[in-house]
Amino acid sequence: MNKFFLITMLIVQAAIAQNSLLIPSTLSGTDINLTLQNGTHQFYNGIDTNTMGANGNILGPTLILNNGDFVNFTVNNQLAETTTIHWHGLHVSPENDGGPHTTIAPNTTWNPSFTILDKASSYWYHPHLHEKTNEHVSKGISGLIIVKDAEATALNLPRNYGVDDFPLIIQTKDFDANSQIVSPSNSDDIIMVNATIDAALIVPEQVVRFRILNGSSMRVFNIGLSGNKTFYQIASDGGLLSDNLPLTRLQLASGERAEILVNFSGMNGQTVFLKSYASEFSNGIYGATNPGMGAGMTLTGYNPNPLNGTDFDIMQFNVGTTTATPVTTIASPLVTVTPIPEANSDMSRTITMSPVTTGQNQLNGNFYLNDVLFDMNVINETVPLDNTEIWTITNNSAIAHPFHIHDVQFYILDRDGNAPPQNEQGRKDVVLVKAQETIRFIAKFEDFSSTVPYMYHCHMLIHEDGGMMGQFVVEDALSVEENELSNKLKVYPNPANNKIHIILEGELNIDTIEIIDQLGRIVLDKKINFSEDSIQIEGLSKGVYFLRIYVDNLNITKKIVVK
Ligand code: C2O
Ligand code: CU
Ligand code: CU
């Protein structure tokens, strides 16, 4: 660091008295170890706030993974409670996905391992425990995942982590009088980036890349720079865009990511603020003055706070001097984006979002997807493996909900019949569905089929925890013989609590019966060689299982519920 830079830095820091932005450490390679732990973090100088973190007191390390690598993960839960870790946006098998069925008890270790199949972009990981996602994320566990691939590496983009390539995990939280995190809360009035309140970052005088994640529980941001300075979006949730997109505003809902470039050339000594222009939000968005759509435009439970409907600073950038090998141009074009043509669709599915109570104007009073709340024991949708599907999401409520689906990246076909804006024409895994809006997306459900379900849900975490979630299994289609067998297999009662009867009609004998849990583990295995049997199940804990029978070279599976 040259002397001039150092002096500039000191002056800038002294004049503004901000907190320097925390930059999470990194983990890379093919063995990734995460330890989840309780801890404390000083959001406010001298005051300890109780937190949860991965490999530290707050947030988690940034994982840098290469497309094509087979990676072994060790997730050791040293928290005082059960949780899960979900790799948001990554295309992995349901067993590796870390959804609510894949729990990690305290003092135990979870070892997923999988090949990184995703395109270069910014993903993230966070807990996903049933009804606890919001609490565990709010208390601190979240980390960014950077995926690299050859196509992106060939581009002249800033990629020096912590030098010209920075993660920005933007969150709002609510603190009580003792500076402890309140969760759930609709009074999230404290803004932070990488767990730093009033964050400031010294950026080099050149093109800088920011990987922005909206890691908030509820709030939508309308990202912009002070003075309406132009920035360039280069990536959406699951991949680079076809070309850089000059923008002055970028709306990001909970769970969404975007990579942007900002050109600080010629700006040494200047300060640029990253802001949310929330005054520009239309009604029906969490973050607007009055997010409701009905009479008076209010929502029961929406607490007025200083961030609602106003333009506020998220953090500041203080421009220093250039690095040794600066990127000075905005790369163009970027990559070839190949959206799935609508004509490839095998079928369509419809998901409606609606408030549980008849009144439209509620914020957290629970929302249905297709008129039901989430039930751990109910599979809501079954998707044939390799299906290309159009999902139509209609929001019949008074507030915008970010819809997220596991397993796939999708392409938005339209919003209320109109082509999506340019920055939504790339790969996405979260889409903000505005109040009363209908969006359609297309996705292909390939590579992984299992009896373990994937999730789809609202990414406003209070809504998710309140049951605005569904689950789907991807099923490998049965052969004709298997189908015939399946029709002849009778299993009753189902649900059952102590004994289950299994009868295979016709001439054939069952060789083996297996019962498999949601994680794919065989919990019962019995050789029979008869066409009929009854098995004791009272040793099994409540939940969904799969009963698999083997007959000659065939096997078929039926879902059973133990109550
Ligand atoms: Cu980011 Cu199902 O979650
Ligand atoms: Cu996810
Ligand atoms: Cu929602």
Short mmCIF file of all heavy atoms in Angstrom, two decimals, residues 218 353 363 367 399-402 458-464 468, ligand 3:
data_model
loop_
_atom_site.label_atom_id
_atom_site.label_comp_id
_atom_site.label_asym_id
_atom_site.label_seq_id
_atom_site.Cartn_x
_atom_site.Cartn_y
_atom_site.Cartn_z
N MET A 218 -37.53 -10.34 5.19
CA MET A 218 -38.77 -9.88 4.58
C MET A 218 -38.59 -8.79 3.52
O MET A 218 -39.29 -8.76 2.52
CB MET A 218 -39.68 -9.26 5.68
CG MET A 218 -40.05 -10.20 6.80
SD MET A 218 -41.16 -11.53 6.30
CE MET A 218 -42.76 -10.69 6.31
N MET A 353 -51.17 -18.03 -4.70
CA MET A 353 -50.80 -17.52 -3.39
C MET A 353 -52.02 -16.77 -2.87
O MET A 353 -52.55 -15.91 -3.59
CB MET A 353 -49.65 -16.51 -3.53
CG MET A 353 -48.39 -17.08 -4.17
SD MET A 353 -47.29 -15.71 -4.65
CE MET A 353 -45.70 -16.53 -4.53
N LEU A 363 -50.44 -9.07 6.66
CA LEU A 363 -49.02 -9.19 6.35
C LEU A 363 -48.51 -10.60 6.64
O LEU A 363 -47.89 -11.24 5.80
CB LEU A 363 -48.22 -8.16 7.14
CG LEU A 363 -46.71 -8.27 6.98
CD1 LEU A 363 -46.28 -8.10 5.54
CD2 LEU A 363 -46.00 -7.25 7.86
N PHE A 367 -50.14 -17.50 4.65
CA PHE A 367 -50.58 -17.52 3.25
C PHE A 367 -50.56 -18.96 2.75
O PHE A 367 -49.67 -19.73 3.09
CB PHE A 367 -49.64 -16.68 2.38
CG PHE A 367 -49.72 -15.21 2.68
CD1 PHE A 367 -48.89 -14.64 3.64
CD2 PHE A 367 -50.64 -14.40 2.03
CE1 PHE A 367 -48.96 -13.28 3.93
CE2 PHE A 367 -50.72 -13.04 2.33
CZ PHE A 367 -49.88 -12.48 3.28
N ILE A 399 -49.91 -8.44 -1.12
CA ILE A 399 -48.49 -8.09 -0.98
C ILE A 399 -47.65 -8.99 -1.89
O ILE A 399 -48.01 -10.13 -2.15
CB ILE A 399 -48.04 -8.18 0.50
CG1 ILE A 399 -46.61 -7.64 0.65
CG2 ILE A 399 -48.15 -9.59 1.06
CD1 ILE A 399 -46.21 -7.33 2.07
N ALA A 400 -46.54 -8.44 -2.37
CA ALA A 400 -45.64 -9.19 -3.25
C ALA A 400 -44.94 -10.29 -2.47
O ALA A 400 -44.51 -10.07 -1.33
CB ALA A 400 -44.61 -8.24 -3.86
N HIS A 401 -44.82 -11.48 -3.05
CA HIS A 401 -44.10 -12.60 -2.43
C HIS A 401 -42.99 -13.09 -3.36
O HIS A 401 -43.26 -13.39 -4.52
CB HIS A 401 -45.04 -13.78 -2.17
CG HIS A 401 -46.21 -13.49 -1.30
ND1 HIS A 401 -46.13 -13.53 0.07
CD2 HIS A 401 -47.48 -13.13 -1.60
CE1 HIS A 401 -47.32 -13.23 0.59
NE2 HIS A 401 -48.16 -12.98 -0.41
N PRO A 402 -41.76 -13.22 -2.87
CA PRO A 402 -40.69 -13.82 -3.69
C PRO A 402 -40.83 -15.34 -3.72
O PRO A 402 -40.65 -16.00 -2.70
CB PRO A 402 -39.40 -13.39 -2.97
CG PRO A 402 -39.80 -12.96 -1.60
CD PRO A 402 -41.27 -12.72 -1.58
N CYS A 458 -42.39 -19.24 -0.45
CA CYS A 458 -42.16 -17.80 -0.40
C CYS A 458 -40.85 -17.59 0.36
O CYS A 458 -40.63 -18.20 1.40
CB CYS A 458 -43.29 -17.11 0.32
SG CYS A 458 -42.97 -15.35 0.56
N HIS A 459 -39.96 -16.74 -0.16
CA HIS A 459 -38.69 -16.51 0.53
C HIS A 459 -38.75 -15.38 1.56
O HIS A 459 -37.73 -14.98 2.12
CB HIS A 459 -37.53 -16.31 -0.44
CG HIS A 459 -36.26 -16.97 0.03
ND1 HIS A 459 -35.53 -16.50 1.10
CD2 HIS A 459 -35.62 -18.09 -0.38
CE1 HIS A 459 -34.49 -17.29 1.29
NE2 HIS A 459 -34.53 -18.26 0.42
N MET A 460 -39.97 -14.86 1.84
CA MET A 460 -40.10 -14.01 3.02
C MET A 460 -40.18 -15.02 4.15
O MET A 460 -41.10 -15.85 4.21
CB MET A 460 -41.36 -13.15 2.93
CG MET A 460 -41.19 -12.05 1.87
SD MET A 460 -42.74 -11.34 1.36
CE MET A 460 -42.88 -10.00 2.54
N LEU A 461 -39.18 -15.00 5.03
CA LEU A 461 -38.98 -16.15 5.90
C LEU A 461 -40.09 -16.34 6.93
O LEU A 461 -40.35 -17.46 7.37
CB LEU A 461 -37.60 -16.07 6.57
CG LEU A 461 -36.43 -16.02 5.56
CD1 LEU A 461 -35.10 -15.97 6.30
CD2 LEU A 461 -36.45 -17.19 4.58
N ILE A 462 -40.75 -15.24 7.31
CA ILE A 462 -41.88 -15.40 8.23
C ILE A 462 -43.02 -16.14 7.51
O ILE A 462 -43.69 -16.99 8.08
CB ILE A 462 -42.36 -14.03 8.78
CG1 ILE A 462 -41.23 -13.35 9.58
CG2 ILE A 462 -43.60 -14.20 9.65
CD1 ILE A 462 -41.57 -11.95 10.08
N HIS A 463 -43.18 -15.83 6.24
CA HIS A 463 -44.21 -16.52 5.45
C HIS A 463 -43.86 -17.99 5.26
O HIS A 463 -44.70 -18.87 5.40
CB HIS A 463 -44.38 -15.85 4.09
CG HIS A 463 -44.91 -14.45 4.17
ND1 HIS A 463 -45.16 -13.67 3.06
CD2 HIS A 463 -45.26 -13.68 5.24
CE1 HIS A 463 -45.62 -12.49 3.45
NE2 HIS A 463 -45.68 -12.48 4.76
N GLU A 464 -42.59 -18.25 4.93
CA GLU A 464 -42.15 -19.64 4.76
C GLU A 464 -42.42 -20.44 6.03
O GLU A 464 -43.04 -21.51 5.99
CB GLU A 464 -40.65 -19.68 4.42
CG GLU A 464 -40.09 -21.09 4.33
CD GLU A 464 -38.56 -21.12 4.25
OE1 GLU A 464 -37.96 -20.17 3.74
OE2 GLU A 464 -37.98 -22.13 4.70
N MET A 468 -46.10 -21.08 4.06
CA MET A 468 -46.22 -20.73 2.63
C MET A 468 -45.14 -21.48 1.86
O MET A 468 -44.21 -20.89 1.31
CB MET A 468 -46.08 -19.21 2.46
CG MET A 468 -46.62 -18.72 1.13
SD MET A 468 -46.49 -16.93 1.01
CE MET A 468 -47.28 -16.70 -0.59
CU CU B 3 -44.71 -14.32 1.20
#
